[in-house]
């Protein structure tokens, strides 16, 4: 079954939008970024912490996916689903240390501006900033980070009310229907 690339479920947070590039169809997970065209489409739709390059290459795609995988597993683990792997922490840290960001004094008294060390290509800088967005969610230890454990979803989201189980009502309905069928088969 072809996957519709509408990106309608993206949450509007760079960290979660990065992770939410894998979706369930039923209970099976599907990769949504399989080509540079998919990556372009995601770049158009996602909340980004830095400017995107006008075009992306196969090299960009191959740099994106390992960071996405690490971010996805780390955020899921933080939401109580799956283990936190040291290798994923290393992957994230490699992106963070590649182009460090420091605060330097601005032109006006009492102001500071962010300064990136090195001369990263736009996509490499974007990956470093995405890694930083994921780091911030992980170190804040947000207890509103949740995984929508419904068939056809599996998206990470921030709860808008306490103990919100599903990212939206449609997922709650699908999960109830799935439970009902499981109980009668
Ligand atoms: Zn959902």
């Amino acid at each position: 079954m072809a996957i519709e690339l509408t990106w309608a479920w993206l949450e509007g947070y760079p960290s979660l939008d990065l992770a939410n590039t894998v979706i369930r169809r039923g209970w099976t997970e599907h990769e949504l970024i399989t080509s540079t065209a998919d990556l372009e489409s995601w770049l158009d739709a996602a909340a980004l912490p830095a400017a995107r390059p006008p075009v992306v290459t196969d090299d960009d795609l191959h740099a994106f996916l390992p960071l996405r995988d690490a971010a996805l597993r780390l955020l899921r683990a933080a939401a109580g689903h799956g283990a936190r792997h040291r290798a994923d922490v290393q992957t994230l840290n490699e992106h963070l240390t590649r182009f460090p960001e420091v605060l330097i004094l601005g032109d006006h008294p009492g102001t500071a501006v962010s300064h990136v060390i090195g001369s990263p290509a736009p996509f490499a800088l974007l990956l470093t900033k995405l890694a930083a967005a994921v780091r911030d969610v992980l170190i804040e230890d947000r207890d509103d980070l949740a995984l929508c454990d419904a068939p056809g979803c599996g998206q990470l989201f921030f709860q808008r009310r306490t103990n919100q189980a599903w990212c939206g009502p449609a997922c709650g309905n699908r999960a109830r229907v799935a439970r009902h069928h499981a109980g009668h088969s």
Side-chain angles (χ1 to χ4, degrees):
M1 184 167 52
I3 306 293
E4 226 181 297
L5 272 176
T6 63
W7 302 116
W9 62 87
L10 289 179
E11 290 284 319
Y13 301 93
S15 55
L16 302 191
D17 287 0
L18 171 65
N20 287 338
T21 47
V22 171
I23 196 170
R24 292 176 180 169
R25 280 291 176 264
W27 293 105
T28 309
E29 299 213 321
H30 286 267
E31 172 61 71
L32 294 174
I33 310 279
T34 59
S35 66
T36 52
D38 292 343
L39 184 54
E40 298 261 10
S41 141
W42 176 81
L43 287 167
D44 285 340
L48 299 178
R52 55 157 293 177
V55 288
V56 289
T57 64
D58 280 335
D59 286 348
D60 294 336
L61 178 65
H62 292 135
F64 175 85
L65 290 173
L67 175 63
R68 192 285 314 276
D69 287 343
L72 179 61
R73 282 190 293 262
L74 289 168
L75 289 167
R76 279 184 181 171
H81 292 261
R84 180 180 189 274
H85 297 289
R86 205 179 145 70
D88 292 332
V89 172
Q90 279 169 353
T91 300
L92 208 75
N93 283 345
E94 277 162 25
H95 280 280
L96 292 171
T97 50
R98 195 164 293 156
F99 302 110
E101 225 172 322
V102 294
L103 282 181
I104 59 173
L105 288 175
D107 290 337
H108 303 287
T111 63
V113 289
S114 170
H115 176 76
V116 176
I117 309 287
S119 314
F123 196 75
L125 179 62
L126 178 59
L127 292 186
T128 292
K129 293 208 177 236
L130 283 167
V134 173
R135 172 204 61 200
D136 290 348
V137 171
L138 295 173
I139 62 177
E140 281 166 14
D141 194 22
R142 296 181 61 147
D143 56 9
D144 58 346
L145 176 64
L147 179 100
C148 182
D149 199 11
C153 192
Q155 305 302 299
L156 288 152
F157 66 103
F158 291 128
Q159 293 166 326
R160 289 172 292 277
R161 51 178 198 282
T162 315
N163 297 327
Q164 180 187 348
W166 317 107
C167 70
C171 283
N173 289 336
R174 266 203 315 283
R176 275 185 287 276
V177 168
R179 262 205 306 273
H180 178 79
H181 286 294
H184 289 77
S185 60

